[in-house]
Amino acid sequence: MKNKSNENESSRAFKWFHATSMPGGAMIISAVIASYFATFMTDTMLLPAGVCSIIMLVATLWDAINDPIMGVIADHTNTRWGRYRPYFLVAPILLFVFSTLLWLNPNFSQTGKIAWVLVMYIGWGMTVTLYTMPHGAILPACVKSNGERNKIVSMGAGCTALAFAIGSTVPSLSHTGYIPIMVVCNLLACISFWGLFGTAKEKYIQKPEEVQKGTLLKVLKHYELIPYILIWILASISYGLMFSSSVYYITYVTGKPQMIGLYMAIISVGAFVSMAVLMPIFLKVFNGGHKALMASSIGSIICYAVLFFFGQSSLSFLFVMTFVATAVASMSNALTIVLVNDAIDYVRLKDGFYANGVIASIKGFAQKCGTTVVSSGLLAVLAASGYVPNQPQSERALNAINFVRFGAPALVSVLIIICLLFNPVEKVKDQIQKMKEELS
């Protein structure tokens, strides 16, 4: 019999700390880095775009590779504080160190600056891995109800949107510099991560002696989950390009760098509306994350195609249409979290074991691959197009910026729709529901 308390398994404090830890102060930090670090390297540290592309490629590739390693470690952790909770104690301290030092512009030679950026960016990325894997694993370890999971995911999505609104807008309006912003955000991250440590109750995990070896390979043998992995990569690319390419677009394509703050605010508000308002509506109207993601992707294709061809017609049209596009598209990245929970349930049904950390790490790996494409690919495209910092750009460079801002996300949404057509969970959703009802 279905437990009546399933829809309210976790405390209100757990819900809020889960929604404000990784999606809160830590996400503001990620938003600032995603929106401004590329231009900080090229226009402030004066590193060549091609060199910056290589830096990002090396750093983010390593960041992606260590995700599965962390997932396996998390699933095999056994302490008196739990399996995933202990990581929420140490991660915010390391986050404080690396995310703050990243914004220093030391008086080094160009080679010294390259080494500095590599060390700090890799350190920041590994710290993100340290808390992302346990954060993705702990929700299904504490909550089995799809309804409650989706509510918590929606809360986190709303916080993510608000965090990106703050992180992508405040630096362009503030005269304090990046480091004071990092300090404040890190203090918020410490409060929320330590709060999550104190309120999480890991109920749906194996006992230490039941944890199986080789879970990563056992999960990867399910080739039918490949569409999920591809969607995680693609959604990360689309969301990352939305922020990282916007500063370049407004600065050079419109020729209105004074409008950066306003444009980033429009994107941020659109993202907040998408995740905090429209996403819960989409989940309800379309009855689940898969159909909601499909609807969001279709809308994204239409909006981005219009902006690609007509975005330069007027600033008013650009601003209004950008808000609409962001409101439709931003939820896609958040909706992919639903696929993590579904994949965990799917493997549990097929193989009879929990692989929370491993599956969360595969999602993290996929996202980092998407981040690699964005951070390195954007700079590589700029370098190939002849981009010259702080100078009027050639038509070739302007076309390249327009493509990465609107053309590439439209193509990405097409690929997401194709992947969704091969969703394996839909075929066994009744069996999964029955399995979860039998869990104690």
Side-chain angles (χ1 to χ4, degrees), residues 74-395:
D75 274 346
H76 287 77
T77 297
N78 178 28
T79 73
R80 62 190 181 94
W81 298 290
R83 182 162 298 162
Y84 308 115
R85 293 170 62 227
Y87 297 100
F88 302 138
L89 288 176
V90 64
I93 298 173
L94 295 175
L95 181 65
F96 204 121
V97 174
F98 288 112
S99 66
T100 303
L101 294 180
L102 184 65
W103 294 100
L104 290 180
N105 184 15
N107 188 25
F108 295 160
S109 65
Q110 185 176 97
T111 301
K113 289 186 177 182
I114 292 171
W116 177 269
V117 171
L118 266 174
V119 171
M120 295 306 153
Y121 197 89
I122 289 175
W124 170 70
M126 292 183 69
T127 302
V128 172
T129 298
L130 189 64
Y131 64 71
T132 299
M133 301 308 103
H135 189 273
I138 204 165
L139 178 57
C142 297
V143 179
K144 67 180 178 181
S145 162
N146 276 342
E148 186 166 355
R149 284 181 185 176
N150 288 343
K151 288 179 182 178
I152 297 173
V153 168
S154 295
M155 290 171 63
C159 290
T160 296
L162 180 60
F164 258 87
I166 296 171
S168 61
T169 305
V170 169
S172 65
L173 303 175
S174 173
H175 300 291
T176 61
Y178 296 106
I179 291 178
I181 295 173
M182 293 295 103
V183 171
V184 172
C185 293
N186 275 293
L187 291 175
L188 294 174
C190 287
I191 293 171
S192 56
F193 274 117
W194 293 340
L196 182 59
F197 169 82
T199 57
K201 297 179 180 179
E202 300 174 0
K203 295 176 286 186
Y204 308 114
I205 57 175
Q206 291 137 311
K207 296 177 181 178
E209 62 271 15
E210 296 174 344
V211 176
Q212 300 188 23
K213 295 182 179 180
T215 51
L216 178 59
L217 294 178
K218 291 177 181 178
V219 170
L220 291 176
K221 77 175 183 180
H222 290 288
Y223 299 113
E224 62 272 27
L225 293 177
I226 289 177
Y228 281 12
I229 298 174
L230 294 176
I231 289 172
W232 292 331
I233 295 173
L234 294 166
S236 178
I237 293 173
S238 180
Y239 197 74
L241 285 175
M242 183 187 304
F243 290 91
S244 61
S245 63
S246 291
V247 174
Y248 289 105
Y249 186 89
I250 291 297
T251 301
Y252 299 110
V253 176
T254 70
K256 302 286 185 181
Q258 68 273 20
M259 293 291 186
I260 291 175
L262 175 59
Y263 190 68
M264 298 304 288
I266 290 171
I267 294 174
S268 300
V269 173
F272 179 77
V273 170
S274 179
M275 298 187 197
V277 180
L278 294 183
M279 180 174 155
I281 295 174
F282 271 50
L283 283 169
K284 185 174 182 180
V285 171
F286 295 104
N287 193 29
H290 307 92
K291 294 180 180 178
L293 182 55
M294 177 76 76
S296 173
S297 299
I298 293 172
S300 300
I301 294 170
I302 297 171
C303 293
Y304 282 134
V306 170
L307 282 164
F308 178 74
F309 290 106
F310 306 108
Q312 301 173 50
S313 58
S314 74
L315 278 179
S316 298
F317 178 80
L318 172 66
F319 289 172
V320 171
M321 199 62 200
T322 293
F323 175 82
V324 174
T326 307
V328 172
S330 294
M331 70 179 79
S332 295
N333 195 47
L335 285 169
T336 60
I337 299 174
V338 174
L339 304 185
V340 176
N341 297 326
D342 287 347
I344 290 171
D345 291 337
Y346 183 84
V347 171
R348 171 67 175 166
L349 175 70
K350 293 294 184 178
D351 296 334
F353 65 86
Y354 294 94
N356 299 34
V358 167
I359 292 174
S361 72
I362 294 173
K363 195 252 188 182
F365 172 81
Q367 279 192 308
K368 299 292 176 59
C369 289
T371 301
T372 301
V373 172
V374 172
S375 59
S376 179
L378 170 62
L379 292 164
V381 169
L382 291 178
S385 68
Y387 168 81
V388 180
N390 303 315
Q391 298 294 327
Q393 303 301 321
S394 66
E395 184 176 354

